[in-house]
């Protein structure tokens, strides 16, 4: 009875789908001793890329399910390697893939790159390219749906991932950044991470920096339901920095 109670307590923060996914998952082609995925009941995770007799790369993090999608946030400070470290590339901060099937020991993923890292040819894990603007927009619509279902943690994860693509890459898109800013305001309204207003502010400025005309088009077309977030965000920006294109706009968001 005590053991059962402890197990229930350990899985208490997981959804029913996440409880089904908890476990160790192997790729028999490379190792039947070390799992590629460790998805623990406390929300912690370990992922490994294994090239037999050459290199084993692992990274700790946290995991959750967003619908049918497995989302893992890597803690890059925990990356460890055993073997030929000369072939190690970079590890992406977020791993995301759709789970189409799983057994007690194996998992089938769509659009997965086993560790989302860049290593030499022949490595089990391959590098993941950034999603297209269209895919990012689709992901943000998924984040909106998650917010509506009160699944703020999953929505936060998606927004954080897209923000990293947008603010650290060369292919910025003003409307994606604008959408991100509004979603971060909604997450802030829901009592999420304290830094969400700062993220919204950054995305707002990045949107105007990327394409001020497209940014004005986005903010001027906000729905009635999203006007409060747009007006509050514009007020925050207007009190801290002057953006001529924004001030000259007839956007509803800044009236």
């Amino acid at each position: 009875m005590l053991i059962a109670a402890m197990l229930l307590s350990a899985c208490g923060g997981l959804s029913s789908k996440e409880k089904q996914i908890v476990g160790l998952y192997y790729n028999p082609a490379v190792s039947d001793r070390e799992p590629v995925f460790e998805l623990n009941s406390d929300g912690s995770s370990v992922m490994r890329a294994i090239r037999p007799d050459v290199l084993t790369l692992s990274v700790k993090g946290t995991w959750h399910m967003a619908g049918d999608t497995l989302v893992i946030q890597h803690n890059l400070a925990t990356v460890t390697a055993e073997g030929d470290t000369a072939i190690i590339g970079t590890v992406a901060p977020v791993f995301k893939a759709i789970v189409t099937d799983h057994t007690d020991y194996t998992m089938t993923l769509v659009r997965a790159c086993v560790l989302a890292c860049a290593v030499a040819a022949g490595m089990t894990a391959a590098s993941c390219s950034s999603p297209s603007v269209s895919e990012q927009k689709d992901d943000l619509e998924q984040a909106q749906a998650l917010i509506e279902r009160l699944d703020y943690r999953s929505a936060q994860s998606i927004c954080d991932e897209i923000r990293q693509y947008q603010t650290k890459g060369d292919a910025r898109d003003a409307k994606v950044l604008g959408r991100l800013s509004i979603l971060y305001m909604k997450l802030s309204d829901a009592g999420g991470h304290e830094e969400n207003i700062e993220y919204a502010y950054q995305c707002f400025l990045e949107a105007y920096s990327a394409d001020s005309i497209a940014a004005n088009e986005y903010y001027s077309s906000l729905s009635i339901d999203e006007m409060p977030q747009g007006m509050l965000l514009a007020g925050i920006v207007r009190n801290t920095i002057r953006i001529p294109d924004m001030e000259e706009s007839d956007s509803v968001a800044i009236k």
Side-chain angles (χ1 to χ4, degrees), residues 91-109:
V91 178
V94 178
F95 170 89
K96 182 170 66 173
I98 298 171
V99 179
T100 60
D101 189 23
H102 69 91
T103 67
D104 289 342
Y105 302 106
T106 62
M107 181 182 296
T108 303
L109 304 175

Side-chain angles (χ1 to χ4, degrees), residues 231-252:
M231 293 175 67
L232 177 58
L233 177 56
I236 293 170
V237 173
R238 186 161 44 200
N239 288 334
T240 55
I241 190 170
R242 181 178 183 274
I243 302 179
D245 287 335
M246 183 186 74
E247 294 185 353
E248 293 168 5
S249 170
D250 59 356
S251 168
V252 172

Side-chain angles (χ1 to χ4, degrees), residues 6-19:
M6 291 173 64
L7 289 173
L8 286 172
S9 175
C11 294
L14 303 181
S15 68
S16 58
K17 181 169 292 186
E18 288 167 341
K19 290 176 183 177

Side-chain angles (χ1 to χ4, degrees), residues 3 19 36 46 51 59 72 80-81 101 128 138 152 159 164 210 232 236 249:
I3 294 175
K19 290 176 183 177
V36 176
V46 179
R51 186 175 180 181
V59 58
I72 299 179
T80 60
D101 189 23
C128 286
D138 289 343
Y152 301 122
C159 289
Q164 294 199 39
L232 177 58
I236 293 170
S249 170

Side-chain angles (χ1 to χ4, degrees), residues 71-137:
V71 181
I72 299 179
Q73 295 274 358
H74 292 145
N75 180 352
L76 301 184
T78 68
V79 174
T80 60
E82 296 180 5
D84 185 3
T85 57
I87 67 173
I88 297 175
T90 57
V91 178
V94 178
F95 170 89
K96 182 170 66 173
I98 298 171
V99 179
T100 60
D101 189 23
H102 69 91
T103 67
D104 289 342
Y105 302 106
T106 62
M107 181 182 296
T108 303
L109 304 175
V110 176
R111 293 177 60 193
C113 45
V114 174
L115 186 52
C117 66
V119 293
M123 185 71 176
T124 299
S127 62
C128 286
S129 58
S130 299
S132 67
V133 168
S134 176
E135 290 172 328
Q136 291 179 44
K137 289 180 178 178

Side-chain angles (χ1 to χ4, degrees), residues 117-251:
C117 66
V119 293
M123 185 71 176
T124 299
S127 62
C128 286
S129 58
S130 299
S132 67
V133 168
S134 176
E135 290 172 328
Q136 291 179 44
K137 289 180 178 178
D138 289 343
D139 285 346
L140 292 180
E141 289 311 304
Q142 182 184 9
Q144 169 63 35
L146 290 167
I147 290 173
E148 292 173 358
R149 296 202 299 268
L150 308 184
D151 187 354
Y152 301 122
R153 185 177 68 169
S154 299
Q156 181 83 42
S157 178
I158 291 173
C159 289
D160 288 347
E161 180 182 3
I162 301 302
R163 178 175 56 84
Q164 294 199 39
Y165 290 133
Q166 284 288 324
T167 59
K168 295 184 179 180
D170 297 327
R172 295 180 301 168
D173 183 89
K175 293 187 177 180
V176 169
L177 287 161
R179 186 68 183 142
L180 264 176
S181 71
I182 296 300
L183 292 177
Y184 274 125
M185 292 299 289
K186 291 183 178 183
L187 288 168
S188 176
D189 289 345
H193 299 180
E194 293 181 359
E195 61 268 26
N196 280 333
I197 289 182
E198 177 63 24
Y199 292 156
Y201 174 86
Q202 292 173 358
C203 290
F204 188 103
L205 295 184
E206 290 281 351
Y208 274 91
S209 174
D211 187 335
S212 61
I213 294 175
N216 273 329
E217 288 177 352
Y218 174 77
Y219 288 110
S220 65
S221 64
L222 290 175
S223 67
I224 293 176
D225 291 340
E226 294 180 339
M227 284 182 186
Q229 288 87 9
M231 293 175 67
L232 177 58
L233 177 56
I236 293 170
V237 173
R238 186 161 44 200
N239 288 334
T240 55
I241 190 170
R242 181 178 183 274
I243 302 179
D245 287 335
M246 183 186 74
E247 294 185 353
E248 293 168 5
S249 170
D250 59 356
S251 168

